[in-house]
């Protein structure tokens, strides 16, 4: 499979180079030259297959021979060593729980898969050592740190804003050691992000280290997110109903992977992009005008994005046809009060505990299902409620049980390097 840059179709790349670069030299996102159509026989077979077989058959199409089968299967097995259950919340509404991985966020899937691919490309030879440099506002850092932990030939450097991530998130970044280094920046997330961007343009650093990023525009993080839509379908096929999926969206990578799965032939009838107050796409679907905005802060902070980077991929998937996009995709936006009210009322009514992101997803689904009785709806639960402990416990007025992954973390010592300027970062990367 070749991948082209969305800024210039003439620039193409194989999977390996696209993953190592992250973004094309002209700053375009990579997109597959062809969307593979899966056979009807395969789709019919899905309920009988196990999740690693499904994943292999889906993802192999996009990797071809660039990773040998045995290696690819090992990467997939390691990526998916946890469950993706669809839990029935109430009649015709299910929650696809994506939070059973090591850092309790759906980003574990993309981060682990990318770590496996990059690790393989390094082991194979001519790349040399690679430094993964990322800025995080919360969940990305933990998933990336955990996914890349101990991968030979890779150093991970994570910048996070001091005092602006939750205690659990900070522990996930700062307690691993080995090849993972956490830099605690005296500044905001945007300042962390700006430092990372500057480092990528700094030739002194480039001469010394091979840098790559691990954010959601990287193909190796984006593509594997398709897999859990297939795993959900495995559990839902027997319902014999139309299916709608509601995806709490920030940078729109997750929902874009779902739309790609659908385009490949997975029988999902409708997608809903559920947003918090950051409603750029909601407005776009109303007006056909795309106007990015500065992000506003909400309780579902992993979705505080005013200019979603993967949206260009969605436009491409629909061949730039606004009318067909609007037919297949709905988008709704909710403020924090509505989100809290949803967490409260669903807990009261059913006993199910949602995190703020899942709650936004639930609200979008509810709105869509209001007038459509022939659907079974699924919202994606993208993070475990414990990651937003205070917010969630406040709403449901109860303590939530801390999962084992977190309990063991809380006793570990934080280790970080405090920095405040770009020069501090540069000094660190140059080994001064
Ligand atoms: C990253 C994240 C999202 C947003 O996913 P996108 O792919 O950026 O749309 C939603 N919920 C949680 C918990 C996240 O960490």
């Amino acid at each position: 499979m070749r991948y082209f840059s969305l800024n210039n179709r003439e620039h193409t790349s194989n999977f390996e180079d696209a993953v190592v670069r992250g973004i094309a030299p002209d700053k375009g996102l990579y997109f597959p030259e062809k969307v593979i159509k899966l056979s009807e026989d395969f789709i019919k077979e899905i309920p009988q297959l196990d999740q690693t077989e499904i994943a292999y058959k889906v993802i192999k199409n996009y990797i071809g021979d660039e990773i040998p089968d045995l290696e690819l299967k090992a990467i997939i097995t390691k990526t998916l060593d946890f469950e993706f259950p669809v839990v029935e919340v109430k009649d015709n509404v299910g929650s696809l729980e994506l939070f059973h991985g090591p850092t309790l966020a759906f980003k574990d899937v993309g981060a682990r898969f990318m770590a496996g691919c990059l690790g393989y490309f390094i082991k194979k030879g001519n790349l040399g050592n690679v430094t993964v440099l990322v800025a995080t506002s919360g969940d990305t850092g933990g998933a990336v740190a955990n996914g890349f932990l101990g991968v030979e030939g890779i150093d991970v450097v994570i910048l996070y804003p001091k005092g602006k991530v939750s205690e659990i998130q900070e522990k996930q970044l700062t307690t691993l050691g080995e090849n993972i280094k956490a830099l605690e920046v005296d500044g905001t997330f945007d300042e962390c992000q700006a430092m990372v961007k500057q480092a990528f343009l700094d030739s002194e650093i480039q001469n010394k280290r091979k840098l790559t990023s691990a954010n959601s525009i990287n193909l190796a993080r984006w593509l594997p997110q398709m897999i859990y839509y297939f795993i959900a379908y495995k559990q839902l096929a027997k319902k014999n109903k139309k299916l709608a999926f509601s995806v709490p969206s920030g940078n729109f990578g997750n929902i874009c992977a779902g739309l790609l799965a659908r385009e490949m032939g997975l029988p999902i009838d409708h997608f809903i992009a559920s947003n918090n107050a950051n409603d750029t796409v909601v407005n776009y679907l109303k007006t056909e005008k795309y106007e990015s905005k500065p992000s506003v802060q909400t309780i579902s902070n992993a979705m505080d994005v005013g200019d979603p980077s993967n949206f260009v991929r969605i436009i491409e998937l629909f061949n730039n046809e606004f009318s067909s996009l609007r037919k297949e995709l709905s988008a709704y936006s909710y403020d924090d009060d509505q989100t809290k009210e949803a967490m409260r009322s669903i807990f009261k009514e059913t006993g199910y505990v949602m995190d703020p992101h899942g709650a936004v997803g639930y609200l979008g689904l509810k709105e869509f299902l209001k007038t459509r009785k022939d659907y079974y709806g699924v919202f994606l639960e993208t993070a475990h409620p414990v990651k937003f402990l205070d917010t969630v416990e406040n709403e449901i007025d109860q303590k939530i049980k801390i999962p084992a992954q977190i309990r063991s973390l809380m006793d570990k010592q934080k280790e970080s390097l405090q920095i405040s300027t770009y020069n501090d970062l540069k000094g660190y990367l140059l080994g001064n």
Side-chain angles (χ1 to χ4, degrees), residues 60 64-73 120:
K60 169 83 181 162
D65 297 328
E66 291 188 57
I67 300 178
D69 275 351
L70 226 55
E71 294 278 354
L72 183 59
K73 284 182 178 164
Y120 168 74

Side-chain angles (χ1 to χ4, degrees), residues 130-144:
V130 172
T131 301
V132 171
L133 181 64
V134 284
T136 185
S137 59
D139 273 353
T140 300
V144 166

